[in-house]
Amino acid sequence: MNPFAHTTLVVELQAGDTERFAVLAHLSYDAADPFVVTAVFSHRGRVLARWQLDREMLGEGLRRPVGVGDVRLRPTGGGLFDELRMEFLGDAHPDGGRHHAVVFAWAAAVSAFLRRTWQLVPPGREEVRVDDFLAQLSVGP
């Protein structure tokens, strides 16, 4: 079985006070790093942002508000057009504020992607390879 899952979704980005506009979200999962879903957001071939999301948090965000730090997720909408609202807080501005973006994804598409990851590594069956991690730390630059 292929230990990877990938999908590309059309999502809507709202940055600051702008209206929503369509961007691509490339979601990827590697069973070798079973807790992480990588999200790369792009527009017209240019990468706008790359975030590593906790897979369990992503699944919980489809059902209820989660997150208190730089990433906050919650379900929005109703019926067929349920969305996952993903709020990202980035680096600080010189004026003390922070970069802020909100991405809206079709909840059914995110859920379908997560089901594929759960087939690769079922929830609760993730393994932490401590020896591999420690070996990486001991390798110098």
Side-chain angles (χ1 to χ4, degrees):
M1 178 188 298
N2 184 351
F4 301 99
H6 179 269
T7 194
T8 299
L9 308 174
V10 176
V11 299
E12 291 185 320
L13 170 66
Q14 185 175 30
D17 296 330
T18 66
E19 294 292 320
R20 291 184 184 192
F21 64 95
V23 299
L24 295 178
H26 309 276
L27 303 180
S28 60
Y29 178 79
D30 181 350
D33 195 359
F35 296 100
V36 176
V37 169
T38 300
V40 177
F41 301 99
S42 66
H43 183 63
R44 296 185 179 166
R46 181 173 162 239
V47 172
L48 303 174
R50 177 183 315 256
W51 286 83
Q52 288 190 318
L53 306 171
D54 178 272
R55 181 175 74 154
E56 183 178 357
M57 183 178 164
L58 191 57
E60 285 294 313
L62 289 166
R63 292 186 293 281
R64 65 180 180 84
V66 294
V68 293
D70 294 341
V71 178
R72 299 173 188 155
L73 310 173
R74 68 179 164 92
T76 63
L80 179 63
F81 298 104
D82 284 345
E83 294 178 311
L84 173 62
R85 181 183 192 274
M86 299 179 275
E87 182 177 6
F88 300 98
L89 297 171
D91 296 332
H93 290 211
D95 66 5
R98 293 178 73 185
H99 290 280
H100 178 254
V102 179
V103 174
F104 297 88
W106 187 35
V110 175
S111 183
F113 173 75
L114 283 174
R115 281 193 302 275
R116 289 178 36 218
T117 74
W118 296 333
Q119 289 173 344
L120 295 172
V121 180
R125 302 290 306 264
E126 301 91 347
E127 292 182 13
V128 178
R129 296 184 177 143
V130 176
D131 291 337
D132 293 344
F133 175 72
L134 292 175
Q136 288 177 356
L137 290 178
S138 66
V139 174

